[in-house]
Amino acid sequence: MQARRAARELALILFSQMDTVDINKCDFQDIVLKSVRTLTNSSTEELKTAGNSILEMKEFISEYEANHPKNLERPIDVSDIPVPMPMTSDMQEKLDGLLNIAEKAMLAIEIAEMAALEENSEVKKYIINLVTAFKEHKEEIDKQIKKFALGWDINRLVKMDKDILRIAICELLFVKEAPLKVVIDEAVELAKKYSTEDSASFVNGILGKVVVENNLK
């Protein structure tokens, strides 16, 4: 995993705490550690949920097999035989959910490993760059969001969407270390992963307008 991608994930957790944390006095090492713990704890809970879903699916398959006409016709004292099972939309949805949980868990492990590297790791440096840029330019960043989120009160935006936009705008206008397309694509992916169904297109639209407004290339 790229260090910047890991930094964005951790920064999103940090930005979610921005209202309760004094970023002028915060210990970045401590915040990174807390962010990693938040991410890994969330993944642990999701894995527990996934485990329950797997057990439910196993029980469903066992019952389906036992109650299949081919097995009902067999003598009681013999073992059931495997039978074809149609893949229902419900089962597909559960499998998609399990795959998503597995992906998040693997990502959390990768991020935790990267964040646990040496004191001056690239992950930590990038997080500090993002937070510093936001601290220095918060009003300007939020002004960009207000300007292009037509019909939306910034204080009533989905918190996750606002934080994703803040991180991306920090990168686009002030940090300027990653290509524009990468910054926007990563922001859209974060929206798909952590926010609402309509968030990805909303975030993409706002960032596109920021790029045009500021003549970014």
Side-chain angles (χ1 to χ4, degrees):
M1 171 189 287
Q2 294 181 349
R4 287 172 186 161
R5 185 180 179 192
R8 290 183 188 101
E9 293 264 353
L10 292 174
L12 188 56
I13 297 172
L14 172 56
F15 273 52
S16 71
Q17 304 169 20
M18 206 67 82
D19 294 336
T20 58
V21 173
D22 185 346
I23 57 178
N24 294 299
K25 299 179 181 178
C26 62
D27 180 339
F28 286 107
Q29 188 65 32
D30 181 55
I31 287 177
V32 169
L33 177 59
K34 287 180 179 177
S35 296
V36 169
R37 284 176 178 165
T38 298
L39 191 63
T40 53
N41 287 341
S42 174
S43 294
T44 299
E45 290 304 313
E46 288 190 331
L47 285 172
K48 289 179 182 178
T49 302
N52 291 332
S53 294
I54 291 172
L55 287 175
E56 290 177 4
M57 292 172 69
K58 184 177 179 180
E59 290 174 0
F60 171 83
I61 292 171
S62 295
E63 290 181 10
Y64 184 90
E65 182 180 77
N67 294 319
H68 193 278
K70 287 186 178 180
N71 284 314
L72 291 176
E73 293 171 356
R74 290 168 60 79
I76 296 177
D77 58 345
V78 299
S79 300
D80 291 335
I81 59 172
V83 296
M85 187 183 76
M87 181 62 73
T88 65
S89 59
D90 181 56
M91 293 288 282
Q92 286 178 333
E93 184 177 341
K94 287 184 177 180
L95 289 172
D96 287 341
L98 292 173
L99 289 171
N100 184 47
I101 289 171
E103 181 182 349
K104 286 184 179 179
M106 288 187 289
L107 179 61
I109 292 170
E110 287 184 69
I111 291 173
E113 288 177 346
M114 294 192 76
L117 295 176
E118 72 278 4
E119 176 73 12
N120 294 318
S121 70
E122 189 176 347
V123 174
K124 182 183 175 184
K125 287 180 179 178
Y126 205 67
I127 292 174
I128 291 175
N129 286 346
L130 288 172
V131 174
T132 301
F134 181 72
K135 180 177 67 175
E136 294 176 353
H137 304 283
K138 180 181 184 299
E139 290 186 7
E140 187 174 348
I141 290 167
D142 283 352
K143 185 177 179 181
Q144 292 279 310
I145 299 174
K146 289 178 185 177
K147 183 173 184 177
F148 299 118
L150 299 178
W152 291 86
D153 179 348
I154 190 171
N155 295 316
R156 300 183 68 179
L157 283 178
V158 174
K159 182 70 166 65
M160 191 65 69
D161 292 354
K162 182 164 62 175
D163 291 337
I164 291 170
L165 286 169
R166 282 171 164 175
I167 291 170
I169 293 172
C170 277
E171 291 189 87
L172 291 172
L173 299 184
F174 305 108
V175 178
K176 297 183 177 181
E177 292 185 22
L180 299 183
K181 187 177 187 305
V182 171
V183 172
I184 295 174
D185 287 349
E186 288 287 327
V188 169
E189 287 304 310
L190 285 174
K192 288 179 181 177
K193 184 175 178 180
Y194 293 115
S195 198
T196 66
E197 184 176 342
D198 299 325
S199 293
S201 58
F202 173 73
V203 167
N204 186 61
I206 296 293
L207 294 179
K209 291 174 182 176
V210 170
V211 168
V212 173
E213 171 76 7
N214 293 277
N215 296 315
L216 302 177
K217 297 180 180 179

